[in-house]
Amino acid sequence: MRRVLVAVSGAVVERFLDRVLARLAWGDTELCLLHVVDTRPLKEYGLAAGGLAGRAAEAEHRLRHMSALGAEAGQRMLADAEALAAPRLPSGTTIRRLQRTGIPEHEIIAASYEVQAGLVALGAAEGGPPPPPKHGPPPPKHGPPPKFPRRHLSPTVRFVVDHAPCDVLLLYPDGSVAG
C-alpha cells in the first residue's frame, strides 16, 4: 500500500487538496493529512514575555492558552481537509489525520518516516526573486534568459525537498507543479 502524506496549512486547503487529489492515482493508497503547530512563534513570545519582571507566570499561562488554540485550529483544519477529500476518493480509501507540534519542516520529515510515506505533497508558497541592486550598473547578461522562472522556495519547503525519504510533490500557487 502506498501512503501519501499531505501537509495541510493555510486558508487555501480546498484548492490545494483538489489539485493533489486530481494528480494521483488512488488505487491501494492511504491519504495521511498532517498539520504541524509551529512552536517557534510561541517560543519567541515566551522568551520576550518571560523576561519581564513579575510576568513569568502570566506569560506561561498565555503560552499554554495560545498552544491550545493552535492545536484546536489545527484539528479543525484537518477535519475540514478530511471532509473535502473523502467524497473525492475511491470508496474504501483510508484517511488518517496527524497533528504534530514543533518545527514544521522537522515534523513533516519525521511524519514521513513514521507513516512510511511514498510521497509527500506540499504547497510551495514562494517569494519572488530578489530585486535588482539600486546602485551601480545592471548585472551582465549571459546568454538567453532561462526557459523557466527561478523559484525561491521557503526554508520549510527547501528542507523537506532536501531531506524527505521519498518523492516530494510541490504545487505552486500559480498552478504549476514540480515533482
Side-chain angles (χ1 to χ4, degrees), residues 44-104:
E44 290 173 12
Y45 172 80
L47 290 173
L52 299 172
R55 298 239 174 141
E58 183 181 333
E60 182 63 31
H61 172 72
R62 285 188 183 190
L63 278 173
R64 279 195 303 274
H65 182 68
M66 289 189 306
S67 181
L69 289 174
E72 182 182 320
Q75 286 298 325
R76 270 187 271 143
M77 195 178 304
L78 286 169
D80 290 348
E82 182 176 2
L84 291 167
R88 294 172 170 97
L89 293 172
S91 175
T93 301
T94 303
I95 301 175
R96 289 174 48 186
R97 288 192 261 169
L98 305 167
Q99 182 161 316
R100 299 176 80 107
T101 301
I103 299 171

Side-chain angles (χ1 to χ4, degrees), residues 142-151:
H142 300 292
K147 291 182 180 181
F148 300 104
R150 279 183 59 187
R151 302 285 188 173

Side-chain angles (χ1 to χ4, degrees), residues 14-35:
E14 184 171 9
R15 199 172 105 206
F16 173 68
L17 271 177
D18 280 342
R19 292 176 61 210
V20 170
L21 298 176
R23 293 208 176 336
L24 303 173
W26 288 96
D28 197 34
T29 300
E30 180 178 298
L31 175 61
C32 301
L33 300 168
L34 171 68
H35 180 265

Side-chain angles (χ1 to χ4, degrees), residues 6 13-14 44 47-48 52 55 59 75 78 97 105 119 129 156 161 164 168 170 177:
V6 177
V13 173
E14 184 171 9
E44 290 173 12
L47 290 173
L52 299 172
R55 298 239 174 141
Q75 286 298 325
L78 286 169
R97 288 192 261 169
E105 52 267 34
L119 179 71
T156 297
V161 167
V168 178
L170 299 179
V177 177

